[in-house]
Each structure stands twice: as structure tokens, then as C-alpha cells.
């Protein structure tokens, strides 16, 4: 029999959640870990591919140098994602839409699992692996889960690239700004399954805290952000968010 320990949730967090209208959730790779998606840091299998560290292959520099190799890397990643499903953490976050007057989900993940669990209006800071975009006119193209990805832009015929944000690249217009605006206005901010190392995403909890929000981290390990959170719930996102 599987035992699930109830996390030690403070009375203050319970009270704040009972009164909260505006809640922001920032998620990272750890929220998809229980679906079987490898994280980038601290284990998993994504850290290197064909001997290349992910910071090298998932970079704007590599895209300029070798687009076919970058496509190969994302084709491989889509293949591993194809059969995976949202987990209890994605589902709990989707249910919070009915619980709070204004729930903002800001994710660094590119896997689309929040949307598949039913979350609407997810702010994708780092793009989506199920889309390609034209390197010239930026037109977005869906990549079907079954079948082959589009070869060239249907508008201008130029090369397509994965619609994800690589190291050294700029985030999608308005995405971070929208997240920052919601962070500054929220009452409770959850930071779930992220190492908090990648900017500007990692600045959202800081913006929330500076504006007076209660910041709560959910992670089995301590992170770069732990010391600046008001509460740290240690454990897996699926267990803790379901209990909350
Ligand atoms: C669980 C769990 C369970 C496990 N339950 N939890 C300021 C200072 C220094 C540098 C910069 C700065 N501002 C910008 C930069 C440069 C750079 C950056 O941040 N570098 C740092 C690493 C130093 N940022 C950028 O380049 C960004 N662009 C930008 O800022 O443009 C302007 C600019 C350019 C150049 C210079 C300055 C400014 C773009 C960042 C794009 C990041 N892209 C990636 C790859 C996407 C495509 C792909 O998938 O390949 O996004 S990198 C990778 O890291 C991916 C993730 O979204 C991102 C964050 O990782 P995340 O989600 O935190 O995952 P992990 O693996 O790190 O952590 C997992 C966590 O889960 C762990 O804590 C586990 O414990 C936990 N966990 N199981 C809950 N069951
Ligand atoms: Zn085009």
C-alpha cells in the first residue's frame, strides 16, 4: 500500500488561502516530474543529449549554428512526451480555477501538460514544444502529436524553428510582463517544482514578495528561492497540491 504523508501546512497559509482572491502559481519542470518528464537539473535524463549539456543544445547560439541538430533534440523530446499524461499536481492546479477568483498559472514548462489537465490561459514563459514558428515572419504552426512536423512556413516558405525560448533568447512579447503584473497583485504566490535558477522567471516570486504576497514553495529539495519564501512545503508537488 502506498503511504502519502500529509504535508505540514501552517495555520497562516490555510488562513491566507481561505481569504485569497488572487493567487499566482509559478511552475517548473518538477511539476511534470511525476508524469515522467525528466527535469533539467538534479537528476533525470535531460541534462545531456548526445554528449551535449542541455545549456549548449538548448541555446540560441546552437540554433544559429545548427538548426537541424536542435530540431533533432526537440523531436526526441516530443517523442518522449507523446505518451505522458498530466499528474495530480497539474490536476490540482486546474481545479484551483474554480476556487480562486483570479488564478494565474505561469509556467516555464514547454510540455503543454497544464493545458491538458484543464488549465486555461496558461502563461508560457518558455514557449511550447508542440508548436513551431517561422524564423522569419514568426507565424506559429501546430505540430501534431501524431504525424510529421511541418517542414517550412506555410506563409513565406522560410525555415521553421521550435517555438521555445532557448538560453540567450528573449521571452515571448508580453508574457513575462503579464506574469509580473499578476505577481505584483497576487495575495498568495506558489513556486512549484522549479530550481529558481533561470531568469527572468525566477524573479516573479521576488516581485510577489516585494508587493506583499505570501510566497510558498513546493519542492522535495531546497532551491535558490527557498530562503526568500514565507513557507516551504517539502515534498512532491502531486502529494502537496492535492492535500492543499
Ligand atoms: C519536484 C519534483 C516533484 C523534482 N515535485 N518538485 C540574470 C542573471 C544571470 C543570468 C541571466 C539573468 N537574466 C537572464 C539571464 C540569462 C539566462 C539565465 O537565466 N541564466 C541562468 C541559468 C544563470 N536567461 C535567459 O537566457 C532567458 N532569456 C533572457 O533573459 O533574455 C534576455 C537576456 C539574454 C541574455 C542575457 C541576459 C538577458 C531565457 C531562458 C530560457 C530558458 N530555457 C530553458 C530551455 C527551454 C527549452 C528546452 O526545454 O530545452 O527552459 S532552460 C531550462 O531551465 C528550461 C526550464 O524552463 C528552465 C527552468 O528550469 P526548472 O523548471 O526550474 O527545472 P529544473 O530542472 O532546474 O528544476 C526542477 C526542480 O523540480 C528541482 O528544484 C527539483 O527539486 C524539483 N522537483 N521532482 C516538485 N515531484
Ligand atoms: Zn514565415
Amino acid at each position: 500500500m502506498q503511504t502519502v504523508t500529509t504535508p505540514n501546512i501552517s495555520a497562516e497559509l490555510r488562513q491566507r488561502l481561505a481569504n485569497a482572491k488572487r493567487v499566482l502559481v509559478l511552475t517548473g519542470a518538477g511539476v511534470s516530474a511525476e508524469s515522467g518528464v525528466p527535469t533539467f537539473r538534479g537528476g533525470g535524463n535531460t541534462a545531456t543529449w548526445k554528449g551535449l549539456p542541455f545549456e549548449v543544445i538548448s541555446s540560441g547560439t546552437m540554433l544559429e549554428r545548427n538548426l537541424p541538430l536542435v530540431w533533432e533534440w526537440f523531436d526526441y523530446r516530443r517523442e518522449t512526451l507523446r505518451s505522458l499524461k498530466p499528474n495530480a499536481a497539474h490536476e490540482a492546479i486546474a481545479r484551483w480555477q474554480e476556487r480562486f477568483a483570479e488564478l494565474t498559472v505561469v509556467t516555464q514548462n514547454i510540455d503543454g501538460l497544464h493545458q491538458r489537465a484543464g488549465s486555461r490561459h496558461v502563461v508560457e514563459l518558455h514557449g511550447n514544444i508542440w508548436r513551431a514558428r517561422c524564423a522569419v515572419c514568426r507565424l506559429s504552426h501546430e505540430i501534431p502529436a501524431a504525424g510529421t512536423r511541418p517542414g517550412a512556413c506555410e506563409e513565406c516558405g522560410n525555415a521553421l524553428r521550435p517555438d521555445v525560448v532557448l538560453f540567450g533568447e528573449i521571452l515571448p512579447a508580453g508574457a513575462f510582463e503579464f506574469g509580473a503584473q499578476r505577481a505584483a497583485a497576487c495575495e498568495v504566490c506558489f513556486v512549484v517544482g522549479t530550481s529558481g535558477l533561470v531568469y527572468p522567471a525566477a524573479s516573479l516570486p521576488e516581485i510577489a514578495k516585494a508587493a506583499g504576497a505570501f510566497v510558498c514553495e513546493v519542492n522535495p529539495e531546497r532551491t535558490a528561492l527557498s530562503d526568500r519564501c514565507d513557507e516551504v512545503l517539502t515534498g512532491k508537488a502531486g502529494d502537496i497540491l492535492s492535500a492543499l
Side-chain angles (χ1 to χ4, degrees), residues 42-242:
N45 292 318
T46 319
T48 61
W49 178 76
K50 293 195 170 181
L52 294 165
F54 79 88
E55 299 95 318
V56 173
I57 185 85
S58 279
S59 70
T61 311
M62 183 59 84
L63 188 110
E64 279 167 24
R65 275 197 202 139
N66 195 341
L67 177 62
L69 187 72
V70 173
W71 263 123
E72 210 187 311
W73 158 235
F74 283 97
D75 289 346
Y76 159 75
R77 302 262 301 280
R78 279 200 320 285
E79 203 50 51
T80 63
L81 279 174
R82 213 177 288 279
S83 59
L84 304 184
K85 296 188 173 60
N87 64 52
H90 299 109
E91 284 159 9
I93 292 170
R95 283 196 301 274
W96 285 1
Q97 290 171 141
E98 320 318 324
R99 177 169 169 189
F100 302 108
E102 184 185 276
L103 178 76
T104 307
V105 180
V106 182
T107 190
Q108 299 169 81
N109 299 345
I110 61 172
D111 54 33
L113 290 174
H114 281 299
Q115 292 89 333
R116 282 183 53 198
S119 283
R120 301 180 291 271
H121 315 302
V122 177
V123 181
E124 293 179 321
L125 292 180
H126 296 162
N128 191 302
I129 198 167
W130 299 103
R131 291 193 307 260
R133 82 174 130 88
C134 177
V136 177
C137 77
R138 299 186 69 88
L139 185 72
S140 179
H141 296 63
E142 294 294 319
I143 304 180
T148 50
R149 63 174 155 83
C153 176
E154 59 190 38
E155 186 66 28
C156 71
N158 277 299
L160 295 174
R161 53 157 292 171
D163 192 3
V164 298
V165 183
L166 304 169
F167 274 119
E169 293 190 318
I170 306 295
L171 274 59
F176 175 75
E177 292 73 10
F178 180 79
Q181 198 187 329
R182 289 293 177 94
C186 73
E187 295 148 317
V188 180
C189 170
F190 283 97
V191 190
V192 187
T194 177
S195 56
L197 292 171
V198 174
Y199 281 81
S203 64
L204 290 176
E206 297 173 13
I207 293 172
K209 179 135 178 81
F214 188 86
V215 180
C216 175
E217 177 171 74
V218 178
N219 201 307
E221 291 170 22
R222 289 194 71 79
T223 73
L225 299 172
S226 303
D227 286 343
R228 281 165 282 163
C229 291
D230 295 294
E231 184 150 341
V232 174
L233 297 175
T234 305
K236 292 183 174 181
D239 295 341
I240 291 182
L241 298 187
S242 307

